[in-house]
Amino acid sequence: MVAVDRGRYTCLVGEGVPGTETSGRRRGERTLVVAMKARELGRKGIVVGDRVALVGDVTGQPDTLARVVRVEERTSMLRRSADDTDDIERPIVANADRLVIVTALADPPPRPRMIDRMLVAAFDADIEPLLCLTKSDLAPAGDLVALYEPLGVPYVVVRRGGALDELAGVLADRISVLVGHSGVGKSTLVNALVPHARRAVSHVNAVTGRGRHTSTSAVALELPEGGWIIDTPGVRSFGLAHVSVETVLAAFPDLVDATAGCPKGCTHLDDDCALVGYVAEGHADPARLESLRRLLASREGAPDED
Ligand SMILES: Nc1nc2c(ncn2[C@@H]2O[C@H](COP(=O)(O)OP(=O)(O)OP(=O)(O)O)[C@@H](O)[C@H]2O)c(=O)[nH]1
Ligand SMILES: [Mg+2]
Ligand SMILES: [Zn+2]
């Protein structure tokens, strides 16, 4: 399923589309089919990236409507909670295997707490993160890169009109989802990577801030090198109420064993944490503990402060 709008699901059917039945179609034929949810699906949600089974009129002719009767098992699910006091998880994208955290180096200024939150969401969903720093024509990337070096998160630095070979190479043959604040340049990137994508981009007026939230729903587009890129609307916050300490810790294999010596229910944020001594004794890099603590702390507080 590549796009959804008011209960109408646009599905791409055809050869080479992951999970698609191609029997009865000509080789290489691709069709966009609009479908509604069949009653038997009940309350089960369908999100962009889902592989679905369709019945009914699947010709994709104008004014036809197929029905989604099944959602196949998902390999991953990127989700966020509306805010940290709200336990309702909102699914964003299914089956992605790469989370591209898009952050502008300026306009809007980078907010590390938001980056940290999105990293935690990637660890939670078991999706590989990639830091994509945009608008390098406006500000240097050095400080931000240094902040994320200890985490070992891969990154690319791009600007509008610049070469995208490195990014395109990383994205090839993967299902990548772009996330980030409004105005960081997600749709601009998609337009540069996908010919004919024609995603609307904002004409931001820096003074009034008007033109924010240009993209209003997630859309999956096929990359020329193979693979998929999913453009999403800008988010103001990324609630992580549903993510446990253990999930964050799993992203730190160099530290996880030492937490066996922690007091019961340790938050790993206080001085009685076993990791403090572990790092002091030189068993692990202090910058790693700092990063872990930053990510753990990023789950706390109002996400709208991002
Ligand atoms: N200076 C500069 N401006 C850029 C660059 N990339 C994008 N922009 C501008 O930034 C503004 C926002 O770009 P969009 O691509 O619409 O941002 P978005 O992340 O898709 O925003 P939402 O859809 O609202 O989430 C537009 O005016 C772009 O022209 C860049 O590399 N340098
Ligand atoms: Mg956009
Ligand atoms: Zn601890």
Side-chain angles (χ1 to χ4, degrees):
M1 201 269 284
V2 296
V4 56
D5 182 30
R6 282 162 289 180
R8 292 291 182 266
Y9 303 92
T10 303
C11 306
L12 183 64
V13 182
E15 194 173 274
V17 180
T20 305
E21 265 298 324
T22 54
S23 58
R25 288 175 188 278
R26 282 198 308 277
R27 232 183 116 72
E29 190 185 10
R30 296 286 193 86
T31 314
L32 281 173
V33 176
V34 178
M36 58 181 274
K37 210 158 103 170
R39 187 168 302 145
E40 54 257 51
L41 270 184
R43 293 158 69 92
K44 191 173 171 67
I46 313 170
V47 299
V48 168
D50 262 329
R51 284 144 201 176
V52 300
L54 299 172
V55 300
D57 191 334
V58 294
T59 57
Q61 294 301 306
D63 297 322
T64 61
L65 194 57
R67 278 176 298 129
V68 178
V69 289
R70 196 173 66 239
V71 178
E72 306 295 355
E73 207 179 311
R74 295 156 176 158
T75 57
S76 74
M77 180 59 96
L78 178 68
R79 51 182 103 236
R80 66 184 178 116
S81 36
D83 65 60
D84 286 339
T85 53
D86 172 7
D87 274 331
I88 303 170
E89 299 179 3
R90 322 227 166 216
I92 306 173
V93 163
N95 298 319
D97 53 20
R98 169 108 54 198
L99 183 72
V100 184
I101 299 170
V102 186
T103 303
L105 290 160
D107 187 28
R111 294 182 185 83
R113 216 172 86 91
M114 179 69 161
I115 302 174
D116 292 343
R117 283 172 166 269
M118 293 188 287
L119 275 173
V120 170
F123 298 145
D124 174 51
D126 205 9
I127 304 176
E128 239 179 279
L130 171 75
L131 197 53
C132 180
L133 306 175
T134 60
K135 310 199 188 186
S136 65
D137 53 316
L138 300 179
D143 290 354
L144 215 52
V145 168
L147 191 59
Y148 288 92
E149 210 113 73
L151 277 166
V153 179
Y155 68 91
V156 291
V157 181
V158 298
R159 65 182 162 80
R160 188 178 44 196
L164 289 176
D165 308 2
E166 191 188 357
L167 179 60
V170 176
L171 299 180
D173 294 324
R174 306 285 295 264
I175 301 176
S176 304
V177 51
L178 303 183
V179 294
H181 280 292
S182 186
V184 294
K186 297 178 295 296
S187 299
T188 301
L189 272 178
V190 166
N191 285 341
L193 290 164
V194 182
H196 316 298
R198 286 207 224 108
R199 292 289 284 166
V201 299
S202 73
H203 302 280
V204 177
N205 180 323
V207 179
T208 65
R210 267 190 304 190
R212 297 284 173 193
H213 294 281
T214 305
S215 308
T216 52
S217 63
V219 170
L221 295 150
E222 203 165 8
L223 291 161
E225 293 84 6
W228 291 79
I229 191 156
I230 301 171
D231 191 13
T232 67
V235 288
R236 211 170 285 132
S237 63
F238 221 92
L240 298 169
H242 58 283
V243 180
S244 69
V245 172
E246 287 67 34
T247 300
V248 180
L249 203 50
F252 293 81
D254 51 335
L255 300 178
V256 70
D257 288 348
T259 60
C262 285
K264 200 165 178 282
C266 185
T267 59
H268 313 303
L269 295 172
D270 299 319
D271 284 344
D272 60 348
C273 173
L275 291 173
V276 176
Y278 190 69
V279 165
E281 287 157 21
H283 299 300
D285 181 355
R288 291 279 291 166
L289 177 55
E290 232 168 82
S291 296
L292 168 67
R293 287 182 154 186
R294 225 182 51 226
L295 293 200
L296 286 170
S298 77
R299 299 172 314 137
E300 317 279 330
D304 284 349
E305 288 163 14
D306 289 319

